[in-house]
């Protein structure tokens, strides 16, 4: 036989990319009887979920906490269906304040409690003149969240849902229509930092679909992202998914009639398949397909997609426990205009997000991650360099940023203690190189009013798309994208029926 035939392997489906959306897609297809191969460029699956450790403290780079993971809530049901629940142990964040918002100009603080009713009570207590605005906002968030298929298993599939996220109104327009209180607007815009799009750009529909889960409940996973990655790995092995680690996909093989027929790996290996779910950045996907696979208008739209902001990140350890971040996160707003122009401001005016780092699961935090949003352009001068081979000017720049971040954290958050030391710093270039994000966007492609993001179905028969660009960032958004993509293969009714049995 020809050597090319001997080197080809056949599968029903190949999943490209072993992030959360790829892992979810592989499990869904394998659980429903298909033979599946999963291809990951890194040396192990879920590379961003696994984080890293320094001085005995582990830093979660891809998972800090999640919404909607309480019993019977969307993420809990997804985990049950995927067969992950028995391998995971979740714990609640502080029910009285899982997120603390601190505005520097006036010293105001607000704590987000778990549950819509406690949240309404806390907001009304803090803003007594804005009861109507608060109640209208929360009703609207819940209504939108409950209308999203798969998040609400009784909601009908809505073909126009994606269009409403494109057409608006924006979160800022919605808040402006409800209240003139700028502090309240800043508080309700806080969670823009969880998806990297400012309130004047993100649609209210998109915002509500994300924050609605955190308003239900906020929980962590014992062991963080590493535990979730390990649970996925065990389930993949159990279902017989063939995993190709350390393999880069060089191209997708598409027949002249527009039908996918295989995936080409570096080194010449080919994985023949009846279909593929591709979870990489949409611009990277375009580089994989033959030039005539998509119409010029579609290619131009994909190439023109804007990415989210990036960030400078500070990883610090402490000689003493840091109880201030036990079961809660801290958001700091140093500027009076809150979250407007996220990333497009000096570091000293940037919002700051702080989350815990621990030595062992269940420990009181012994360190933290500080995230300062910034634009990818801040490191453009060195964009031709690669990790491990940056010029001296970049090193000096990074050292200067580190000193400024340490100073700002100590200034804004004295309760974290003075006995802290920075052990690592990352920049937009770090995000680009380790996150496989072409521009260094922290959350991939933006979901913003006026931007048409890709949908799971493509013009190439057998090629489906999943990932944050299709739905939304975060663990819940990535898993949801896997269900949305595989629903086109397995049938949405079939998947929803299976999910309902797991409630």
């Amino acid at each position: 036989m020809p050597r090319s035939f001997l080197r080809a392997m056949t599968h029903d489906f190949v999943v490209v990319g072993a992030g959360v959306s790829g892992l979810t897609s592989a499990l869904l297809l394998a659980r429903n009887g298909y033979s599946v191969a999963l291809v990951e460029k890194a040396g192990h699956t879920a590379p961003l979920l696994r984080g890293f450790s320094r001085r005995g403290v582990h830093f979660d780079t891809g998972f800090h906490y999640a919404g909607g993971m309480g019993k019977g809530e969307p993420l809990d049901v997804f985990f049950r269906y995927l067969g992950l629940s028995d391998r995971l142990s979740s714990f609640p964040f502080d029910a009285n304040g899982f997120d603390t918002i601190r505005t520097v100009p006036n010293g105001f603080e607000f704590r987000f409690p778990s549950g819509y009713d406690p949240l309404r009570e806390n907001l009304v207590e803090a803003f007594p003149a804005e009861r109507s605005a608060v109640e209208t906002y929360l009703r609207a968030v819940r209504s939108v969240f409950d209308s999203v298929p798969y998040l609400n298993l009784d909601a009908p599939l809505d073909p126009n849902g994606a269009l409403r996220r494109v057409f608006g109104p924006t979160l800022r327009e919605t808040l402006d229509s409800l209240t003139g209180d700028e502090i309240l607007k800043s508080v309700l815009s806080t969670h823009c930092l969880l998806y990297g799009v400012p309130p004047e750009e993100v649609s209210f529909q998109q915002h509500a679909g994300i924050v609605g889960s955190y308003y239900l409940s906020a929980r962590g996973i014992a062991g963080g992202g590493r535990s979730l990655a390990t649970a996925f790995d065990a389930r993949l092995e159990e279902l017989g998914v063939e995993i190709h680690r350390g393999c880069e996909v060089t191209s997708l093989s598409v027949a002249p009639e527009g039908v996918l027929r295989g995936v080409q790996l570096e080194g010449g290996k080919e994985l023949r398949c009846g279909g593929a779910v591709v979870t990489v950045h949409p611009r990277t996907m375009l580089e994989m397909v033959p030039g005539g696979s998509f119409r010029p208008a579609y290619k131009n739209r994909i190439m023109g997609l804007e990415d989210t902001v990036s960030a400078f990140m500070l990883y610090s350890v402490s000689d003493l426990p840091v109880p201030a971040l036990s079961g809660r996160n801290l958001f700091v707003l140093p500027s009076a205009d809150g979250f407007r122009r996220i990333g497009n401001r000096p570091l000293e005016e940037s919002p700051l997000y702080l989350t815990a780092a621990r030595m062992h699961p269940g420990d009181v935090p012994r360190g933290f991650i500080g995230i300062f949003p910034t634009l990818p352009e801040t490191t453009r001068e060195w964009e031709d360099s690669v990790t491990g081979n940056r010029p001296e000017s970049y090193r000096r720049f990074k050292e200067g940023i580190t000193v400024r971040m340490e100073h700002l954290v100590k200034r804004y958050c004295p309760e974290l203690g003075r006995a802290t030391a920075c052990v690592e710093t990352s920049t937009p270039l770090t995000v680009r190189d380790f996150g496989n994000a072409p521009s260094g966007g922290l959350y991939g492609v933006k979901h913003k009013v006026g931007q048409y993001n890709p949908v799971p179905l493509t013009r190439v028969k057998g090629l489906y798309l999943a990932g944050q660009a299709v739905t939304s960032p975060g663990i819940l958004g990535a898993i949801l994208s896997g269900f949305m993509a595989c629903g086109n293969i397995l049938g949405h009714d079939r998947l929803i029926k299976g999910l309902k049995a797991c409630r």
Side-chain angles (χ1 to χ4, degrees):
M1 293 182 182
R3 180 175 295 179
S4 61
F5 182 86
L6 291 174
R7 299 176 73 185
M9 295 179 286
T10 301
H11 302 272
D12 293 324
F13 282 91
V14 173
V15 177
V16 179
V20 172
S21 56
L23 294 167
T24 299
S25 300
L27 287 185
L28 286 173
L29 294 168
R31 185 188 187 281
N32 285 277
Y34 289 103
S35 64
V36 180
L38 177 63
V39 183
E40 170 54 44
K41 180 180 178 181
H44 41 71
T45 61
L48 293 182
L49 273 184
R50 296 177 188 273
F52 65 92
S53 296
R54 296 288 186 275
R55 299 188 190 178
V57 175
H58 187 76
F59 297 94
D60 256 318
T61 52
F63 179 84
H64 304 140
Y65 67 144
M69 198 161 46
K71 185 173 176 57
E73 293 174 355
L75 196 49
D76 173 60
V77 175
F78 288 159
F79 284 161
R80 290 178 187 278
Y81 184 85
L82 293 170
L84 304 177
S85 292
D86 292 343
R87 298 177 169 92
L88 298 172
S89 176
S90 73
F91 61 91
F93 268 44
D94 189 339
N96 296 317
F98 63 87
D99 284 339
T100 297
I101 318 306
R102 178 175 298 169
T103 60
V104 173
N106 54 15
F108 175 82
E109 280 198 1
F110 179 81
R111 291 187 174 185
F112 275 82
S114 290
Y116 278 85
D117 290 339
L119 177 55
R120 183 181 64 253
E121 291 171 8
N122 278 24
L123 285 168
V124 170
E125 181 180 355
F127 303 95
E130 302 296 331
R131 175 183 290 273
S132 177
V134 166
E135 292 180 345
T136 301
Y137 168 82
L138 291 177
R139 278 197 304 270
V141 168
R142 187 146 204 175
S143 175
V144 169
F145 187 80
D146 287 344
S147 72
V148 178
Y150 286 103
L151 298 185
N152 177 2
L153 297 177
D154 298 314
L157 289 172
D158 181 6
N160 296 317
L163 291 177
R164 281 195 289 273
R165 294 198 297 272
V166 173
F167 291 142
T170 66
L171 171 61
R172 183 71 193 189
E173 289 168 340
T174 300
L175 294 177
D176 285 345
S177 71
L178 295 176
T179 178
D181 192 312
E182 293 300 325
I183 298 178
L184 175 58
K185 293 177 189 178
S186 290
V187 168
L188 298 180
S189 300
T190 293
H191 294 103
C192 288
L193 279 184
L194 299 181
Y195 52 80
V197 185
E200 59 268 25
E201 292 185 10
V202 69
S203 72
F204 177 75
Q205 293 271 333
Q206 182 71 17
H207 172 78
I210 296 171
V211 301
S213 66
Y214 291 92
Y215 294 174
L216 283 173
S217 66
R219 301 180 72 88
I221 292 176
R226 288 181 300 180
S227 293
L228 183 55
T230 300
F232 269 115
D233 282 348
R235 185 63 170 144
L236 289 167
E237 182 179 0
E238 189 174 85
L239 291 175
V241 174
E242 181 180 284
I243 305 175
H244 297 261
R245 301 175 179 87
C247 291
E248 185 169 3
V249 173
T250 58
S251 63
L252 302 177
S253 178
V254 180
E257 61 271 21
V259 178
L260 185 82
R261 59 186 180 189
V263 173
Q264 302 288 334
L265 307 182
E266 60 181 348
K269 182 184 291 185
E270 179 184 14
L271 300 178
R272 298 272 181 87
C273 59
V277 180
V278 175
T279 67
V280 300
H281 192 287
R283 289 200 290 275
T284 303
M285 179 276 296
L286 276 188
E287 296 171 0
M288 296 177 175
V289 297
S293 300
F294 295 113
R295 295 186 176 96
Y298 181 83
K299 292 193 288 187
N300 290 338
R301 177 157 65 86
I302 296 299
M303 294 304 296
L305 292 172
E306 289 185 34
D307 287 346
T308 67
V309 299
S310 191
F312 294 115
M313 288 179 272
L314 181 75
Y315 303 90
S316 292
V317 299
S318 175
D319 293 334
L320 301 171
V322 188
L325 291 176
S326 185
R328 64 180 72 93
N329 304 296
L330 178 59
F331 294 80
V332 180
L333 307 183
S335 175
D337 60 355
F339 290 89
R340 286 192 174 186
R341 300 182 294 111
I342 289 178
N344 189 19
R345 61 176 76 209
L347 192 68
E348 285 72 15
E349 297 178 14
S350 169
L352 165 63
Y353 167 53
L354 287 158
T355 191
R358 293 175 170 82
M359 298 184 75
H360 305 288
D363 284 356
V364 175
R366 290 296 295 267
F368 59 83
I369 304 172
I371 301 176
F372 292 80
T374 190
L375 297 179
E377 295 87 90
T378 55
T379 52
R380 182 156 290 167
E381 179 181 346
W382 305 281
E383 66 181 352
D384 292 331
S385 65
V386 295
T387 299
N389 190 25
R390 311 278 194 213
E392 177 65 18
S393 58
Y394 173 79
R395 187 188 65 79
R396 292 195 302 269
F397 169 81
K398 193 172 178 180
E399 286 179 351
I401 288 291
T402 300
V403 170
R404 289 164 65 191
M405 286 194 291
E406 287 187 296
H407 169 74
L408 291 170
V409 169
K410 290 175 180 178
R411 174 184 164 193
Y412 298 149
C413 315
E415 70 271 31
L416 298 185
R418 301 287 176 178
T420 61
C422 171
V423 291
E424 288 289 349
T425 308
S426 64
T427 74
L429 291 183
T430 318
V431 176
R432 183 196 69 181
D433 292 349
F434 283 95
N436 291 317
S439 72
L442 194 59
Y443 304 103
V445 175
K446 276 183 180 180
H447 289 269
K448 57 174 283 188
V449 171
Q451 177 163 287
Y452 291 84
N453 286 28
V455 297
L457 284 171
T458 74
R459 186 169 181 261
V460 175
K461 187 176 180 180
L463 174 59
Y464 305 87
L465 306 182
Q468 295 187 145
V470 177
T471 51
S472 58
I475 298 296
L476 182 58
I479 289 179
L480 176 61
S481 78
F483 275 89
M484 295 297 289
C486 292
N488 288 284
I489 300 166
L490 302 167
H492 292 294
D493 290 342
R494 178 180 177 180
L495 287 181
I496 289 173
K497 181 180 179 181
L499 287 167
K500 285 182 176 180
C502 296
R503 285 193 292 198

